Amino acid sequence: MPVNVLFSARAGLWENYEDPLLTALNEIGVNVNLSRNIPPCDVDYVVFAPNGPVSDFTPYTRTKAVLGLWAGVESITGNTTLTQPLARMVDPGMTEGMAEWVAGHVLRHHLGMDVDICRADTGWQPHIAPLARDRQVGVMGLGALGSACAKTLAGLNFDVLGWSRSAKDIAGVETFSGPAGLDEILRRSEILVLLLPLTDATGNILNARTLGLLPGGAIVINPGRGPLIDDAALLEALKTGQIAHATLDVFRTEPLPPEHPFWAQKNVTVTPHIASETRPISASKMIAENIRRGEMGEPFLHLVDRKAGY
Ligand code: NDP
């Protein structure tokens, strides 16, 4: 009997995922019926993205797990019909992409690349950046993505500080945890990278108080989630110079509405939620591994803790 796997994501993703998923499931030895149309009562696994056709999981009575294509799960954790185990996406391709994006934007600000690019109107203005070893970079969130970014930055010689809910030990990274560690990492982060999930505990974590703890002229880089930051407090800090620049990939409303003041603020860089994408080939291997585990009765990887919200 084949394993029935329902693919439920927005139109267009099926074309990207059908072949990689079939290949990965075949390679791992799962006999599969992969389709976008399977009666709910026959579905063994749902490969899921929040913008697809399934939002009521009540009829999926025999479904062993819902396997997310997204790393962020804040739009799913509140779905009370979803009582099946929920695994989020931890994709080596996405992790690699995020480390590259974060390193690129940290280096832009660290080196002062915008200042260094000579233009006819600004002229020849040499300035020497400090070495990375003399630059303190904080990474808030040390999960799959944050820890990879922290390691990459440490590999570039930055003085890296990291913060998470539970204590962590990462070579080359000075780590802090819990509420007690928050103020210290903020006080020392000249460049701050946000890679926290959005939960009840992390919304507005960067607010007037916490922005005020950062060293004057700090840089904020947010590829995490828009609501991690109180927009009004950030705009105020950008105007006073407490924050010299913010590079923002994620927003409360996406696409960022044309009237949002971030567009007009000169020391804000907006990128369109592209910091890192799930890569179909590597992500399909993760999905296939979880289906194999489900079939063998082994624990699923990357299960979401509904109480913690991530
Ligand atoms: P993980 O769940 O692996 O890691 C989350 C990290 O945040 C963990 O270190 C966790 O601590 C920490 N954390 C959670 N809550 C708190 C808290 N209250 N206080 C302190 N630390 C906390 O997530 P990922 O690394 O995979 O992804 C992080 C986020 O990145 C996603 O949730 C998503 O929002 C965003 N993202 C953005 C993308 C983009 O293109 N812009 C692409 C993909 C993801 P602990 O280790 O103790 O559990």
Side-chain angles (χ1 to χ4, degrees), residues 97-201:
M98 183 62 82
E100 291 177 13
W101 187 91
V102 165
H105 285 275
V106 166
L107 282 167
R108 169 192 173 195
H109 294 295
H110 163 67
L111 293 173
M113 284 179 173
D114 296 15
V115 180
D116 281 343
I117 295 168
C118 295
R119 298 193 317 260
D121 57 338
T122 54
W124 191 269
Q125 294 181 355
H127 100 283
I128 305 298
L131 291 175
R133 69 177 71 254
D134 297 321
R135 181 79 74 188
Q136 295 199 301
V137 182
V139 180
M140 289 174 70
L142 294 174
L145 300 177
S147 62
C149 293
K151 285 179 203 160
T152 298
L153 293 167
L156 289 168
N157 265 357
F158 283 103
D159 184 356
V160 184
L161 317 166
W163 184 68
S164 50
R165 200 156 66 108
S166 55
K168 294 272 181 305
D169 187 7
I170 303 175
V173 179
E174 189 180 350
T175 52
F176 303 86
S177 59
L182 176 62
D183 288 10
E184 180 158 9
I185 184 176
L186 290 171
R187 282 200 186 92
R188 291 171 51 192
S189 295
E190 296 168 84
I191 300 176
L192 184 70
V193 179
L194 292 180
L195 272 168
L196 291 163
L198 179 60
T199 68
D200 291 346

Side-chain angles (χ1 to χ4, degrees), residues 60-78:
Y60 292 83
T61 45
R62 81 173 215 196
T63 298
K64 294 178 196 164
V66 173
L67 307 170
L69 289 172
W70 291 10
V73 290
E74 72 279 358
S75 59
I76 323 169
T77 46

